[in-house]
Amino acid sequence: MGEEKKVIVFALGAEEYGVEVEKVRTIERMQPMTRVPKAPEFIKGVINLRGVVIPIIDLRARFGLEQKENSDATRIIIVSAGDFEVGLIVDSANDVIDLDTDNIDNPPEIVGGIKAKYLDGIARVGEQRLLVLLNLEQVLDRHEIQQLERVEE
């Protein structure tokens, strides 16, 4: 058995994804956002969360997935990406699970239309369930991080 890794499980459509618990600050309900001029399409705006301005990214738009209406289950997962915080809009945040690192494989080149650079790996959970693990640093590239930092100033 390898090491245990705790991940938050969330959904985008029928696919389940995971992000390490240590990188998650909080999970929030959807709330009004302020649009940011000239921001990339997938940056939906910023929110003021307990006195901190946080840019919000729509993961569906970021990954080129079909857009859908927000529901009562839609959540914003606030994560640390490098040295700042960003919110990720997801269809739902389901649970926290422990993964055995021995059950994590390198990602294939493409998963559900999402390029491998955004992925840390694919985890096998039980017999039938696969979990796509995100590489948060790649979800935002350097240029976009610089744009977001200017937004926060």
Side-chain angles (χ1 to χ4, degrees):
M1 284 218 14
E3 296 176 30
E4 289 281 305
K5 180 187 261 193
K6 267 196 187 326
V7 297
I8 302 266
V9 178
F10 64 89
L12 288 176
E15 302 295 326
E16 286 188 307
Y17 298 83
V19 64
E20 291 176 48
V21 165
E22 301 86 56
K23 296 185 178 180
V24 175
R25 295 290 167 249
T26 181
I27 299 174
E28 303 288 329
R29 292 187 176 279
M30 283 301 288
Q31 51 193 278
M33 291 173 217
T34 303
R35 275 296 285 154
V36 178
K38 298 184 181 173
E41 185 62 31
F42 61 86
I43 298 176
K44 292 301 172 193
V46 294
I47 61 170
N48 182 342
L49 186 64
R50 295 181 271 289
V52 179
V53 175
I54 298 179
I56 304 298
I57 292 172
D58 183 338
L59 273 187
R60 281 180 163 277
R62 179 62 172 138
F63 294 160
L65 301 174
E66 181 182 334
Q67 291 300 293
K68 73 171 221 167
E69 288 293 314
N70 293 335
S71 71
D72 288 343
T74 304
R75 295 289 181 265
I76 300 173
I77 300 177
I78 308 296
V79 296
S80 288
D83 53 359
F84 74 107
E85 293 182 346
V86 64
L88 305 174
I89 299 173
V90 301
D91 293 347
S92 63
N94 302 330
D95 55 7
V96 178
I97 61 172
D98 290 317
L99 294 177
D100 182 338
T101 54
D102 286 348
N103 292 333
I104 300 174
D105 299 323
N106 288 331
E109 284 304 303
I110 212 160
V111 175
I114 298 171
K115 295 184 184 90
K117 74 174 189 170
Y118 298 135
L119 311 179
D120 250 355
I122 305 291
R124 295 181 310 278
V125 182
E127 293 295 312
Q128 301 293 319
R129 192 172 171 198
L130 291 178
L131 191 62
V132 179
L133 302 177
L134 286 188
N135 179 339
L136 290 178
E137 282 71 29
Q138 287 298 320
V139 170
L140 296 176
D141 72 23
R142 294 257 177 249
H143 173 70
E144 291 157 347
I145 288 171
Q146 289 166 349
Q147 264 188 315
L148 291 176
E149 286 170 342
R150 282 196 294 277
V151 164
E152 290 180 334
E153 291 171 354

